[in-house]
Amino acid sequence: MALPRTPALALLCGLLAGGLAIASAQTGAARLGSESFRAIRVAPGDASVAAAAAAGGANAHKLLTPAGSGPVLVAEGEYMATVSPEASPEAVEALARLIKGARGRVKQVSSAADGVWRGVTFKAPRSTAAQARLLRQLADAPAVQFVEPHYVFALAPVPADAPAVAAAAAASAPAEAASAAAAAAAGAAAAAAAAGGVAAPAAMQAPPSWGLDRIDGKMDSYYVYASDGAGVCVYVLDTGVSPVTNFESRLVTGAYIEYPGDQANQQTMDYQGHGTHVAGTIGSKVYGVAKGALLVPVRIMDNSGSGSTQGIINGIAWVVGHRDARCTKKVINMSIGGGRSAALNTAVRDASAKGVLSVVAAGNEAADACTSSPAAEPTAVTVGATVRPSGGGDGRAYYSNFGTCVDVFAPGDAIVSEAMTDGKTQTLSGTSMATPHVTGLAARMWGKGLCNSATSCHAALSSKAQTGTIVDAAGSPNRMAIMWGNS
């Protein structure tokens, strides 16, 4: 995956599973929106202040040390205290006062009883002794479920499998030249659509991305589909989405979630490229799986591709609270991942309980997906990546995470989709690219009535998958996400 390298990106090498590689980050100053902090790299299980706070404490189990498959980035001295579901708004506000009284700085208070995550994000006092004392006080507070580091996430490149690179080069050369023909084919398919979906199976000959060819159940140089995701809103939590022509009139006004939650700036333009590529795979007229779905950009990353746990949670909360008569069926695409965060997992779980389905990337560390978030959350559909079949089944991409937390696999290597510049394409690799294939399938299933809730659509994606085709599933469920052409 060829992503631009910037000083901030080099600094914050940690999240977005389009390419997530959390290993080689440098420490230093960083900025998110109007907030600044020092990002530091820590090893999983790093004791630091949490261990000092836990010494002799009866509630040490509430203090969660950094967790992940490798070194993770955190905001130095920052924590998130998550409260129990039964805690009152007054109890949350009391925690904020406790933090302020200990000379900590409260960055965000989420106390609403109907929120997707409830708690306080804060910067602890500078001295180690004061931090330890405050963390122990929070752990002893009955309303607190756990306290964890505030994770920092950022884009990092993922090279495609070598054979796929050559195949992509051969395929992408004519891809832009063929895009007019592909657009014409897509237009003809759209013309056959009726209210509520496609009236009869439409066939897109020689789809520009091999992923489209594969997800209809077989590789035959056609993408065949009898539904298009009409009636479903897909929320793309990413770097933003550029309004390219192939999104037609289906790009809905979204939100720019500037940490710590200011939605006044509705600027959702993509200045990085990742979000537009992801949205293209979901619903572009030419490169998309669900060519009738509405696309709602929720920008949770800055121009360099960096974000935070709190910013992602704020994005999820915005989706749950978004009111639009067209958006009664909501699917979130999160091509992101990082250290295992109980707070982020809680937000995804709460969103599911409120009827919002989340489809998330398994991650690109070639490690157990259960060690990262939101991949570890059971209510999310967690997606691993495969390479283009070469006659022997669907090969798991060398970088794709695996394990029992993976629900399905999908095409993720050398995927051609939309670029920031209208009329151009880019070819990217990663579980970030696999995830939108499954998100598009979820939109098609829900739009067609093959499922009718977040829970039933989660189950349908697994039950309708092809089984036994994944080479080297590495302990993952051996399921390839598909939707037969007559569905």
Side-chain angles (χ1 to χ4, degrees), residues 66-167:
S69 61
V72 294
L73 281 172
V74 299
E76 185 177 32
E78 294 192 12
Y79 297 88
M80 299 181 74
T82 299
V83 301
S84 59
E86 60 272 12
S88 67
E90 292 75 19
V92 182
E93 297 293 342
L95 292 176
R97 291 193 296 271
L98 170 64
I99 293 165
K100 291 177 182 177
R103 295 186 179 277
R105 183 163 70 90
V106 172
K107 304 187 77 172
Q108 182 166 329
V109 179
S110 300
S111 59
D114 61 350
V116 298
W117 172 81
R118 302 174 65 233
V120 183
T121 300
F122 64 96
K123 186 173 180 63
R126 286 189 175 185
S127 82
T128 299
Q131 283 194 36
R133 189 163 49 249
L134 174 58
L135 291 177
R136 188 180 299 116
Q137 288 177 308
L138 290 170
D140 288 340
V144 172
Q145 268 192 316
F146 44 80
V147 182
E148 66 177 61
H150 189 198
Y151 291 104
V152 175
F153 302 119
L155 284 168
V158 173
D161 271 334
V165 172

Side-chain angles (χ1 to χ4, degrees), residues 102 218 271 413:
K218 56 185 177 179
Y271 296 101
D413 205 62

